[in-house]
Amino acid sequence: MAEITEVRIYKTKGNGVIKAYASVSLDNEFVVKGIKIVEGESGLWVSMPSRKAKDGSYQDIFHPTSREAREKIVNAVLEAYKNQI
């Protein structure tokens, strides 16, 4: 499994539901940009980068293939975000 070597947080201005964007470096070789930190009814959650399809639905551009990999990224992003508040 790839190691997360860096997480950068870019806070948004205003009081919208998107609180920040994040980029995650994997193994100092790949960077995933466009990860969103969103505030929902049950707290903060992380949305992977996506694009809008022709039918109006959204498709992830990047997504972990296992629950463990997703949790690793989500936890690293939320921890970095909370350390910056």
Side-chain angles (χ1 to χ4, degrees), residues 7-9 37 75-85:
V7 178
R8 290 187 182 198
I9 303 296
I37 300 168
N75 291 339
V77 167
L78 290 177
E79 182 179 331
Y81 176 74
K82 290 174 183 176
N83 286 337
Q84 279 199 7
I85 321 184

Side-chain angles (χ1 to χ4, degrees), residues 32-34 47-52 58-64:
V32 179
K33 294 183 175 185
S47 172
M48 295 298 159
S50 61
R51 65 178 170 88
K52 194 172 188 177
Y58 286 88
Q59 298 176 338
D60 284 348
I61 295 169
F62 167 87
H63 59 92

